[in-house]
Amino acid sequence: MPGLIVGDQHEDLTNAVQQIILSSSEVDYLDQLIPLLQNAQTQTQVGPLIHALNHVSSDRDAAIEQICNNNHQEFVNSVQQLQSAREGTVSLTSEIMELSRSIEASTEKLAEQKKALVDSRGVRQNIDDTTQALKDCLEVLRLANQVHALLGEKNHYAALRALDELQNVHLREVTRYKIAEMIERSVPATQRLIAEAVMTDLNTWLYRIRETSQFLGEVAFYHTDLRRERQKERAEHDPQFATAGLNSSLELVADEVEEFDVLHNDEVQVNFAPLFECLHIHDALGQLDKFRADYAATRRRQKDLLIPPTLNLQDDENNSLSSLLEGIAGFAIVEKATMAKTENFRAQSDVDELWDSMCQSAISLLNNALRIIESDDKLLKIKGVIALFIQTMDSWGYSVTSLDSLLLSLFSKYSSLLKKRFSDDFEEIVGSDDYMPMPISNADEYTKVLSVSWYTPPADETSNPEELEYPCVLPFSQMYPLVCIDIRNFINQIYLFSDDHFRNTAAIDRTLKEMLDDLLIEKVIRTLLAGLKSQYPGQIVQILTNLDYFEQACSSLEALLVSVRSSSSAAGPINLNATREFKDAKTAAEKRVFELVNSKIDDLIETAEYDWLSTYNPDQVSLYMQELTRYLANIMSSVLLGLPQEIKHMITQTALEHIAENLLALPLDPAVTSITSEAASAYIMDVGHLVSFVENLDEEQMPKHEIGAVEELRQNTDLMGLAAEGKGEQFFDQRVTGVRFPKVDKIRGAELLEKVQTRGAISGGGSAAGSAAAVVAGSGSGTFADGSAAAKAQSTLNDFRSRFGDFARRT
C-alpha cells in the first residue's frame, strides 16, 4: 500500500505530517490537517495519509522503545521517582484540592461580596443620578418660584429675565424629565402674568399721573408766571427786551440761567420707570405694537375723563376754569415728556390729536359758559387764565392757533361789554351835565383836570396851578374832563387785554379806534347835537365850547393812539372819524348860536318903529337900539365869554354882519319910498350908537381889524346924511366914493339917494336923487316947476340907474 505512493506525494504528506506533529496545540494541529482534508487531490489519498501517520507513529514508537531500552534503569528510577512524585503530587493535589475548595469557598464569598459591591455601586450611581436630577429639577423649580417671587415683589423685568433664563438655559438641562415639559407649558402663562402685572402697575401709574396732572399743570403755570415777572424786570432794565415776548428766542436764552424741571422738582416728581419697564417687557415679549395701541386707547379714555360736562365761570377765582386748563396742561406735558423719553412709542400725530381734541372740548365748554358772562372784569380774569395756559403750552411746542382764535372771540365779547359799560358812563356824564363852565376850587383840582384831559391853558395864562387865583372857572363844562377820563380808562382797559398774551394786536388797535369813534359820535356828539334844540343861548354856547375842546382833544387822542398802539407792524397816522364829526357838530352849534343870536337880533330890530316921513328930530337913541347893544354886551360878557377867541370873534362878527344887513334893509325896504331928513337923522343916530358900541369893544372882544362888519352900514348912513344935506351927487364922483364909500353897494346907494329927502325940500316931494335929476335936466332951482319937468327928471333918473347898474355889474 505504501508502495503506491509516489515519491513526491510521499514527501509532501511527510512534510505535512511533520508540521502536524510539531503543532503546539490541537488547534494548530487541526489547522494543519484541515487543508489536507479539503484538498481535492488528497481526497483519494486519505489512506496514504493514514499510512503516513501510522508510519510516523511506528517510527516514534520504535524510537521510544529504543530510548526505553537504553535507559530502562533510569526509566525505572524515574518511574519510582515519578511515583514518589506522584504520591507527593497526590498529596499536594489533595492539599491543593482542599486549598482549592477553601479558595473556592472564599471565592464564592468574595464573589458574593463583589456582587454585592457591584450592586451597591449601581444603586449608588442611581442614587447619584437621582440626586443630580433632583438638584437640576430643584434648580428649575427654584427659578420658577423665583419668577413668581419677583412678580410678588413687583420686580417685573427681573422676573422676565429669570423666566427667560429658566426657559433657554435651565430647562434644556432637564429636558429628559417630565417636569421640564410641565414648566415649559407654564411659561406662556407666566409671561401673561408678568404682562398683566406690569400693566396693572402701569395703570396704577397712569391713574396717579391723571390725579397729578392738575397739580403738574398748576406748577407749570406758576413757573410761567415767574418767567413773566423775570421778563418784565428785564424789559424795565433793558429796552431790547421790551419787544421780546414770552417764549421768544431772546427770552428763552435770557432765562436759561433759571433752570427748572416741571416734572422733577420739590413740588412734584413724575417717575417714568413704570412706563419704561412696561415698554421694555412688552418689547421683550414681542407685544410692543399691542402695548402701544392699548396705551394710546388708555390715554384717550383719560383725556375724556379730564373734560367735565359743564364749566362754571361764575366763581370769582376762576377755580373751575383753572382746574380744567391745569389738568389739560399736565396731561399734555406728560405726553410731550413721554414722546421725548421714548423712541417710536408715541407718534406725534397721536399726541397732536389728543391736544387738538382737548382744546376743542375746552373751547366748546368756554363758549357755552361765556354766554352768561356780562362783566368785562370777569372776562379779563378769564383771559388771564387762558393766556397763562397758552404761554405755558407754547413753551412745550404745542400749537395754540385755536386758542388764539378763542382769545380773539373773547376779546370781541370783552370789547363789546366794555363799550356798553363806557357807553352807559358816557351817556350818564353827558346827560347829567349842567352845561356851565367848570368851577375849580383849588390847585389840586386844576392839576387833576390838566392831567386827565387834553386841555392846554391859553398862552396868556400861567400854566402853574399855584399862581392862579381860586376859585376860578375853566371854559368847558365838567363833562369834558369826565369824558376824557373815561376815554383814557377805556384805552387802558382795552390794552389790558394784550398785557399777557394776545397775538392779534392789530384787532385791538382797529377795535379801539372803531369803538372810540362810536362812543364819541353816538354818545357825545349826538347828545350834544340834541342839546342844540335848546332855546337857551348859554347852553348852546357851552355845547359849542365843549365841542371845540373835544375836537382839540381828538387830535391829541389820535397822537396818543399812535404812540400806544400794540401792533408793531402798523405804521402811519390814525384818523378818528369823531374828529371830523366834532368839527361838523361845532359848525352846527355855531349855526345854532347864530340862529339864536340872530333870532334875538331880528326880534329886537323888528321892534324898530321908524317913521320915515317924520319931521321930528329925536334927541336920543331908539330903545330898540339901546336894547340891542345891551344884548350884545351881555352875550359877549357872559354867554360868549368862555368860547375860544376865534369862535367868539366869529360869532360876534357874524352877529354884527347880521345886524348891519337887517338895519340896512330897513330903509331899503321897498315899502319905504321916501325918507325925511329927520327920519334919516334918527336912523343915523341909532346906527352911530351901534358903531360907537362896536368901536368901544376891547381887543379881546373884537379885534379892531375885524370891525368891518358894521363899516358898510356906517358908510351907508353917512351917504344918507350926505343926501339929507343935499350933497348926494358926490356919491357919483368916483374920487369921493373910493375914499368915503368904498363898501357901499352902488345900487343900494342910489336907492338911498332916491329915498332920502334933502333938508328944506317940499314935503312929500323930491330927494337927493331928484335934485340930482333936476340938475341934470337944467332946472337949477332944485324944485319941479311943472309935471313935464318932473317927468323929464324921472326919465333922466331911470337912464342913470340903467347906466349905473350896468357899470356896477361890470365893476
Side-chain angles (χ1 to χ4, degrees):
M1 210 47 152
L4 296 175
I5 301 172
V6 182
D8 291 336
Q9 291 178 347
H10 181 264
E11 288 179 0
D12 290 338
L13 291 174
T14 302
N15 291 334
V17 171
Q18 289 295 329
Q19 290 177 356
I20 291 171
I21 293 171
L22 293 175
S23 296
S24 58
S25 64
E26 296 179 355
V27 175
D28 293 338
Y29 173 81
L30 293 176
D31 289 339
Q32 296 294 328
L33 182 61
I34 288 173
L36 295 176
L37 296 176
Q38 290 179 343
N39 192 340
Q41 189 177 4
T42 60
Q43 292 295 329
T44 58
Q45 297 176 359
V46 175
L49 178 60
I50 294 173
H51 178 75
L53 290 173
N54 291 329
H55 178 72
V56 171
S57 177
S58 297
D59 289 341
R60 292 294 177 89
D61 288 337
I64 292 170
E65 184 177 356
Q66 184 179 355
I67 291 170
C68 290
N69 291 325
N70 295 331
N71 298 298
H72 177 75
Q73 187 60 41
E74 293 177 359
F75 180 73
V76 172
N77 293 333
S78 297
V79 170
Q80 289 177 353
Q81 290 176 357
L82 285 174
Q83 287 179 350
S84 175
R86 182 178 180 184
E87 290 176 359
T89 301
V90 171
S91 177
L92 289 172
T93 300
S94 298
E95 291 178 1
I96 289 170
M97 290 299 296
E98 185 64 27
L99 180 61
S100 176
R101 284 192 294 272
S102 175
I103 290 172
E104 184 178 359
S106 298
T107 301
E108 290 177 357
K109 186 183 294 184
L110 181 60
E112 291 177 359
Q113 291 178 353
K114 183 177 181 179
K115 181 180 179 182
L117 178 59
V118 171
D119 293 341
S120 176
R121 287 180 177 176
V123 171
R124 182 177 178 180
Q125 183 63 39
N126 291 337
I127 292 174
D128 291 342
D129 293 342
T130 303
T131 301
Q132 185 62 39
L134 287 174
K135 287 181 179 179
D136 294 340
C137 293
L138 287 174
E139 180 64 18
V140 170
L141 288 175
R142 184 188 67 79
L143 289 174
N145 291 332
Q146 184 182 9
V147 170
H148 291 278
L150 290 172
L151 276 178
E153 296 172 359
K154 298 187 179 299
N155 196 349
H156 307 114
Y157 182 68
L160 184 64
R161 290 290 302 274
L163 183 63
D164 182 70
E165 182 182 356
L166 174 65
Q167 183 180 14
N168 296 320
V169 178
H170 296 281
L171 283 183
R172 296 181 182 277
E173 298 176 356
V174 293
T175 53
R176 60 186 180 276
Y177 305 120
K178 192 170 184 179
I179 190 173
E181 181 182 353
M182 296 173 61
I183 293 179
E184 184 70 30
R185 287 199 304 266
S186 69
V187 167
T190 305
Q191 289 177 339
R192 286 194 298 272
L193 286 176
I194 295 174
E196 291 172 359
V198 77
M199 281 302 296
T200 301
D201 285 355
L202 180 66
N203 290 332
T204 303
W205 178 78
L206 287 173
Y207 174 77
R208 291 174 180 171
I209 286 295
R210 183 170 69 86
E211 293 296 317
T212 311
S213 292
Q214 181 180 343
F215 184 61
L216 178 62
E218 183 180 351
V219 172
F221 284 8
Y222 176 73
H223 174 59
T224 302
D225 195 47
L226 291 180
R227 289 175 56 202
R228 281 181 180 175
E229 296 300 325
R230 292 195 293 269
Q231 181 64 11
K232 288 180 180 178
E233 292 177 0
R234 296 189 195 102
E236 291 174 358
H237 293 87
D238 191 346
Q240 67 176 338
F241 286 98
T243 57
L246 206 67
N247 297 321
S248 64
S249 300
L250 191 60
E251 186 272 336
L252 292 174
V253 171
D255 208 62
E256 284 181 349
V257 294
E258 302 291 342
E259 291 293 341
F260 182 81
D261 191 347
V262 176
L263 297 169
H264 298 281
N265 51 75
D266 295 337
E267 301 294 333
V268 62
Q269 295 285 334
V270 178
N271 183 13
F272 285 86
L275 174 64
F276 297 153
E277 184 181 35
C278 193
L279 184 64
H280 193 68
I281 286 176
H282 280 84
D283 187 22
L285 294 175
Q287 300 176 2
L288 187 57
D289 291 338
K290 179 179 179 299
F291 171 62
R292 185 184 293 113
D294 292 343
Y295 184 87
T298 302
R299 292 299 280 172
R300 283 193 293 271
R301 289 193 297 271
Q302 287 189 330
K303 177 265 298 181
D304 295 335
L305 294 175
L306 282 175
I307 310 301
T310 58
L311 186 63
N312 178 24
L313 297 179
Q314 297 292 341
D315 58 318
D316 295 335
E317 300 299 327
N318 293 316
N319 292 326
S320 180
L321 176 61
S322 296
S323 298
L324 171 63
L325 298 184
E326 287 168 358
I328 293 176
F331 184 94
I333 288 172
V334 170
E335 283 296 298
K336 276 288 184 180
T338 301
M339 191 170 63
K341 292 176 181 294
T342 58
E343 185 177 355
N344 299 326
F345 177 59
R346 296 292 286 153
Q348 182 69 50
S349 58
D350 291 341
V351 176
D352 290 342
E353 181 184 356
L354 289 176
W355 168 250
D356 292 338
S357 176
M358 290 187 294
C359 286
Q360 293 303 321
S361 299
I363 290 172
S364 178
L365 285 174
L366 276 167
N367 287 332
N368 292 332
L370 286 173
R371 295 174 182 172
I372 61 175
I373 302 298
E374 298 297 333
S375 169
D376 54 277
D377 289 336
K378 184 64 179 176
L379 285 179
L380 196 60
K381 293 179 181 178
I382 293 172
K383 183 264 174 183
V385 177
I386 297 175
L388 186 61
F389 172 65
I390 291 177
Q391 290 178 323
T392 301
M393 302 320 297
D394 189 30
S395 65
W396 282 88
Y398 280 104
S399 172
V400 294
T401 304
S402 59
L403 296 173
D404 284 334
S405 300
L406 171 65
L407 285 186
L408 188 60
S409 63
L410 190 65
F411 171 72
S412 178
K413 183 177 179 65
Y414 170 77
S415 58
S416 298
L417 292 177
L418 200 64
K419 179 184 176 183
K420 181 179 182 302
R421 176 160 69 86
F422 278 90
S423 177
D424 295 339
D425 289 347
F426 276 40
E427 189 171 349
E428 181 181 356
I429 290 171
V430 179
S432 62
D433 191 60
D434 57 3
Y435 295 102
M436 296 292 290
M438 183 176 181
I440 300 296
S441 302
N442 51 57
D444 289 340
E445 291 183 6
Y446 187 80
T447 303
K448 288 180 181 178
V449 171
L450 292 181
S451 63
V452 300
S453 67
W454 287 279
Y455 170 65
T456 302
D460 57 345
E461 292 185 11
T462 178
S463 58
N464 186 359
E466 301 298 334
E467 297 178 4
L468 294 176
E469 294 183 3
Y470 299 99
C472 64
V473 177
L474 295 179
F476 43 77
S477 64
Q478 65 178 1
M479 66 170 290
Y480 172 73
L482 292 178
V483 169
C484 289
I485 291 174
D486 264 13
I487 290 174
R488 292 182 184 274
N489 288 337
F490 182 73
I491 294 174
N492 291 334
Q493 290 289 322
I494 283 287
Y495 280 116
L496 278 177
F497 202 88
S498 64
D499 277 355
D500 298 328
H501 170 84
F502 190 70
R503 292 178 177 172
N504 298 285
T505 52
I508 291 184
D509 299 331
R510 182 177 61 255
T511 302
L512 176 60
K513 177 186 176 300
E514 293 173 354
M515 289 189 172
L516 279 176
D517 271 333
D518 290 344
L519 288 172
L520 292 173
I521 293 173
E522 297 298 330
K523 298 304 177 181
V524 179
I525 297 177
R526 296 287 182 264
T527 304
L528 292 178
L529 287 177
L532 295 180
K533 297 177 182 179
S534 172
Q535 298 298 320
Y536 177 54
Q539 179 175 340
I540 305 302
V541 170
Q542 189 61 61
I543 290 175
L544 176 57
T545 303
N546 290 346
L547 288 171
D548 182 66
Y549 280 101
F550 274 123
E551 181 186 3
Q552 298 176 30
C554 279
S555 299
S556 301
L557 180 58
E558 289 172 347
L560 175 64
L561 293 179
V562 171
S563 63
V564 302
R565 61 185 168 193
S566 55
S567 178
S568 58
S569 61
I574 294 178
N575 298 316
L576 290 173
N577 296 329
T579 305
R580 176 176 48 81
E581 293 287 340
F582 273 118
K583 185 175 183 179
D584 295 343
K586 189 173 70 170
T587 302
E590 292 171 355
K591 291 181 179 179
R592 181 58 178 160
V593 173
F594 299 154
E595 289 177 3
L596 291 178
V597 173
N598 293 343
S599 176
K600 181 63 176 179
I601 291 173
D602 291 343
D603 292 342
L604 291 174
I605 293 178
E606 284 177 1
T607 62
E609 297 179 353
Y610 286 106
D611 182 4
W612 298 108
L613 300 177
S614 172
T615 59
Y616 170 73
N617 283 318
D619 56 358
Q620 63 178 2
V621 179
S622 302
L623 291 177
Y624 91 92
M625 183 56 69
Q626 296 178 20
E627 189 67 28
L628 180 60
T629 54
R630 189 180 301 113
Y631 172 72
L632 290 176
N634 288 336
I635 64 172
M636 285 190 290
S637 61
S638 59
V639 176
L640 304 181
L641 183 62
L643 286 174
Q645 293 294 338
E646 296 80 4
I647 298 177
K648 180 167 60 176
H649 294 165
M650 182 180 61
I651 292 177
T652 304
Q653 183 177 0
T654 304
L656 292 176
E657 290 174 352
H658 184 71
I659 292 172
E661 185 68 25
N662 284 355
L663 286 177
L664 189 57
L666 292 177
L668 291 174
D669 190 340
V672 179
T673 59
S674 181
I675 302 174
T676 65
S677 59
E678 290 81 7
S681 297
Y683 178 75
I684 291 171
M685 182 186 297
D686 291 342
V687 172
H689 178 74
L690 176 64
V691 173
S692 177
F693 168 78
V694 174
E695 290 177 344
N696 290 329
L697 293 174
D698 58 32
E699 186 72 18
E700 182 179 351
Q701 291 175 320
M702 176 60 69
K704 299 305 181 185
H705 65 278
E706 293 183 1
I707 62 175
V710 295
E711 183 63 22
E712 182 183 0
L713 178 63
R714 186 187 63 77
Q715 292 181 17
N716 277 281
T717 57
D718 287 349
L719 180 61
M720 291 175 67
L722 190 64
E725 294 175 358
K727 300 177 181 180
E729 66 275 5
Q730 294 182 10
F731 178 68
F732 302 106
D733 186 344
Q734 291 297 324
R735 291 173 296 177
V736 176
T737 301
V739 175
R740 294 187 61 182
F741 311 112
K743 291 185 178 296
V744 176
D745 183 84
K746 305 306 179 183
I747 294 181
R748 286 181 174 182
E751 290 179 1
L752 289 176
L753 289 176
E754 181 184 359
K755 292 182 180 183
V756 177
Q757 299 176 355
T758 61
R759 291 182 176 90
I762 298 174
S763 176
S767 65
S771 300
V775 171
V776 175
S779 167
S781 63
T783 60
F784 301 116
D786 54 28
S788 61
K792 186 177 180 180
Q794 184 65 43
S795 174
T796 303
L797 179 62
N798 290 339
D799 181 62
F800 169 78
R801 284 179 175 175
S802 176
R803 289 186 291 108
F804 192 79
D806 181 62
F807 170 77
R809 284 192 296 272
R810 289 199 306 271
T811 58

